[in-house]
Amino acid sequence: MISDPLNLIITGVGGQGNVLASQILGKALVKSGYLITVGETYGLSQRGGAVLSHIRISKKEKLGPLMPKGLAHIVAGLEPVETLRILPEYGNPNVIVITNSRPVHPLGVIAGELEYPDLDVLKKSIQDLSSKLYWIEATSIAMELGNPIMANIVMLGAIIGTKILPVSSDDILQEIKENFPQNKWEVNEKAFIHGFNLIL
């Protein structure tokens, strides 16, 4: 591990599968012998509010559920505005960012009361706050595989593809197999591999 503890944040909005991705990752890390703490904070998630998972990994000690500000090693965003929203608080000049490029428009944008930021400006703002940015089309890949909800698994593949976390792709694939019913795990396996290969 590059650091002990190692801190990861997965951020997104309600309904994007943030919590499921965190659980799969956490289980794989526990089986690999690490002490894991997963803390979650929710906005009005059932109405598209923010969902934030703090995943803290250590070989030596069990940590508090919420990471201190400015100490994220990786930020994985399922939605670009949510990615940008948390970077000033938890990021630092060395943070690696992986974000899904597909916006989820909040109700104010859908109603025409607000305007979603320009994607190029958004990407540049995230890039300026990170040491390395992976801007990936996770939702498009998931849609090609049959269901946009699998964007969270594409993102999980990309996180593991960075090779920063102390688990292998085989560890995660085993968890996917154990956490999905027979008729769903094969397509989720494909989603994971697509995401993993994006980072190679």
Side-chain angles (χ1 to χ4, degrees):
M1 265 196 323
I2 58 170
S3 175
D4 192 333
L6 186 66
N7 296 315
L8 161 69
I9 284 184
I10 302 178
T11 184
V13 298
Q16 288 195 290
N18 182 336
V19 173
L20 177 61
S22 302
Q23 289 174 346
I24 290 171
L25 183 56
K27 288 176 185 176
L29 286 160
V30 167
K31 288 178 182 173
S32 297
Y34 289 88
L35 299 168
I36 307 304
T37 307
V38 179
E40 289 158 352
T41 61
Y42 299 88
L44 292 171
S45 58
Q46 291 180 332
R47 294 177 180 266
V51 179
L52 190 62
S53 296
H54 300 239
I55 302 165
R56 309 194 71 201
I57 307 159
S58 177
K59 205 62 170 167
K60 302 179 292 192
E61 60 182 328
K62 193 163 187 176
L63 300 154
L66 301 181
M67 78 178 64
K69 293 178 180 177
L71 293 184
H73 295 93
I74 306 176
V75 170
L78 302 176
E79 204 285 330
V81 161
E82 293 304 323
T83 304
L84 180 59
R85 189 192 310 270
I86 62 128
L87 275 174
E89 188 170 0
Y90 293 102
N92 57 71
N94 297 316
V95 70
I96 293 172
V97 178
I98 307 163
T99 190
N100 184 11
S101 62
R102 181 71 163 254
V104 175
H105 291 157
L107 289 177
V109 172
I110 293 169
E113 297 166 356
L114 300 170
E115 189 173 331
Y116 194 89
D118 178 86
L119 277 181
D120 289 336
V121 173
L122 195 50
K123 182 178 179 181
K124 175 74 167 52
S125 299
I126 295 171
Q127 208 157 27
D128 288 346
L129 292 170
S130 55
S131 68
K132 187 167 185 64
L133 170 63
Y134 296 96
W135 179 266
I136 67 174
E137 297 182 1
T139 301
S140 298
I141 292 168
M143 289 171 72
E144 287 170 12
L145 292 170
N147 192 336
I149 193 62
M150 291 185 295
N152 64 337
I153 303 300
V154 175
M155 289 293 296
L156 186 56
I159 293 167
I160 301 304
T162 64
K163 301 192 172 152
I164 292 171
L165 298 187
V167 286
S168 69
S169 57
D170 287 343
D171 295 332
I172 301 296
L173 288 170
Q174 182 61 37
E175 285 305 319
I176 288 172
K177 192 170 184 177
E178 292 177 11
N179 283 274
F180 286 96
Q182 176 74 30
N183 65 341
K184 300 252 174 87
W185 74 259
E186 285 184 352
V187 71
N188 278 281
E189 181 182 61
K190 287 180 184 173
F192 176 84
I193 291 169
H194 271 277
F196 184 84
N197 288 337
L198 288 173
I199 308 300
L200 294 178

